[in-house]
Every structure is written in C-alpha cells, then in structure tokens.
Amino acid sequence: MKKLIWIISLIPLIVTLFVLNILPESIPMHFDSDSNVNRMGSKYEQLLFPVIILALALLFTLMMSFFKKKAENASTDKLRKEALNNVKALGIVGVATAVLQGALHGVFLYGAVLMTESNASALPFDAARTAGIIIGILLIIFGNIIPKTRRNSLIGFRTPWSLYNDTTWRLSNLFAGYAMIISGAAVLILSALFSSTKLIVWAVSVIFISCLVSMIYAHNVYLKQIASSAPDGK
C-alpha cells in the first residue's frame, strides 16, 4: 500500500513538470469565491501543491511504519491485530487522499492552461463547487474508515473522552464516522445547489455541526462509562 501511495502521489508532480513547459512565466494563481482571478504568479508556484501531496505521502508512510513496528513488538495478539488494522486503515485513507488531491490539482492546472490559451479572466468552472465535491468525497471515505480504527493517539476521532477506553473509542468513532458520511453527502448536495460564497458558508457550517455533535456524543459516552465503573452509591 505504501508503494501505491507514492506512485499516485508522484503523478501530479510529473504532470506538472510536463505542463510547465507549455505555460508562460506568469499565470493565474489565485481565485476568489466566484472563480475570478485575483492574483497572478510564477508558473513554478504550480509545483507547491504536488510537493504538499508528496509531504502527505511521507506522513502516511511514517504513520504506517509506526503501527507496523508496533504490531511487530506487540506483547499480545490483540495489540498486534489492532496495530495492523490501523496500518490498513491508514493505507486506504492515504491512497484516497492522494487520488483526490491529485485530481483537485489536475483540475486547477487544466484550468490554468485553458485560461492562458483563451486569455480569460475567470476559471471555466466553479472553483468552490470543485473543492466542495472533493471535500464531500473525502469526508465519505474518512467516515467509512475511522470506525475501523483501534484506539491510538494518531488516527481516528481522537478526544480525551474517546481515548478513555476501548468502548468509548469504538462508540465515538462509529458515531463520528456516520456523522462524516452524512456531512460528506450533504456537502455534495450543497455543491449541486449552491456556488461561490454560499456554498463555502453552508459547507463549513455542516462540517462544524458534524464535529460539534460528534464531540458531544463522545463526551456523553465517556460520562456513561465513568458512571458504570463507579462504586455503588457514588
């Protein structure tokens, strides 16, 4: 899985290096919520996002190596299986992240090429909707993965309450996973209904509410666990 993450993560860099040969020195680099150009910059700034994608690939690789080593040094079969489960979850998320971020970069790189050729002052597509679709898909993927993680300090829905014990972790991450899937689907629907500033406001609101509700649920589960473990009468 590590090799696949790196292969996918290298593609945006390779494509960008090829495209740079046909772009002028100065190209549109930043856009407002209505997809209008509000900053020109050097074409070499297009290399920034591919480098970030590679940095994330390195991060996922290091975390996977951490849990793999943890599995190898596990003192019990339970701990070994939990660590390997986290390696698998990280691999899936890493591949999905690389694919979708590469696609997002590709879309904007293609937009820069089209704008350069036509001398246009705005992207030929809605930037906010494009980002909304990518974010919505990522949320759905993450929502399906985090319930499969096991208690740890690196990945999953991590709060002081969810980390309390295996039960609080399992229930909190299951709820947060469903909340992420729902919020991801909502962002996709919003991307079809709205554009520009309205979409950004609605999408941020949906994600914020999802996180807030998940935190409240995790806290309630934690309180129930504390109550159930307390001596009678206390």
Side-chain angles (χ1 to χ4, degrees):
M1 195 70 83
K2 291 180 185 177
K3 289 183 180 179
L4 183 58
I5 292 174
W6 278 104
I7 290 171
I8 296 171
S9 298
L10 278 168
I11 292 174
L13 178 61
I14 295 170
V15 172
T16 302
L17 288 172
F18 174 78
V19 172
L20 288 181
N21 292 321
I22 63 174
L23 289 174
E25 290 301 315
S26 181
I27 63 172
M29 285 304 306
H30 196 271
F31 311 89
D32 60 23
S33 59
D34 293 316
S35 301
N36 296 308
V37 178
N38 57 15
R39 185 176 75 82
M40 299 290 288
S42 169
K43 65 179 180 180
Y44 295 104
E45 290 184 47
Q46 287 287 350
L47 292 170
L48 179 60
F49 200 21
V51 170
I52 292 174
I53 294 173
L54 289 173
L56 287 174
L58 176 61
L59 177 62
F60 277 110
T61 299
L62 291 175
M63 289 194 293
M64 291 172 71
S65 297
F66 169 80
F67 282 112
K68 189 173 182 180
K69 187 174 182 180
K70 195 172 183 180
E72 293 171 353
N73 298 329
S75 57
T76 65
D77 189 55
K78 176 179 178 292
L79 292 175
R80 183 183 67 83
K81 288 181 179 179
E82 288 180 348
L84 290 176
N85 195 79
N86 288 336
V87 171
K88 183 179 179 181
L90 276 167
I92 296 172
V93 172
V95 169
T97 301
V99 169
L100 292 172
Q101 287 192 326
L104 181 62
H105 174 66
V107 168
F108 283 96
L109 186 62
Y110 179 64
V113 172
L114 291 179
M115 290 182 67
T116 300
E117 291 179 346
S118 62
N119 198 28
S121 60
L123 280 170
F125 52 84
D126 191 304
R129 278 181 171 168
T130 303
I133 291 170
I134 298 295
I135 292 171
I137 295 173
L138 277 174
L139 285 171
I140 291 172
I141 293 173
F142 291 168
N144 276 281
I145 296 301
I146 64 169
K148 298 179 175 64
T149 61
R150 298 298 179 264
R151 188 157 57 116
N152 68 93
S153 59
L154 291 179
I155 58 171
F157 185 70
R158 292 169 291 111
T159 69
W161 312 307
S162 64
L163 287 165
Y164 178 67
N165 61 24
D166 288 342
T167 299
T168 56
W169 178 269
R170 177 176 57 83
L171 293 177
S172 297
N173 276 268
L174 182 62
F175 184 91
Y178 282 124
M180 284 183 113
I181 293 171
I182 293 171
S183 62
V187 170
L188 288 176
I189 293 172
L190 289 168
S191 298
L193 297 176
F194 302 106
S195 62
S196 62
T197 305
K198 283 186 178 180
L199 172 58
I200 295 171
V201 171
W202 278 106
V204 170
S205 299
V206 166
I207 295 171
F208 174 78
I209 292 171
S210 172
C211 292
L212 180 62
V213 172
S214 296
M215 290 181 67
I216 292 172
Y217 179 83
H219 185 247
N220 287 337
V221 169
Y222 166 76
L223 292 178
K224 288 180 180 179
Q225 283 293 300
I226 292 292
S228 65
S229 62
D232 292 341
K234 294 186 178 180

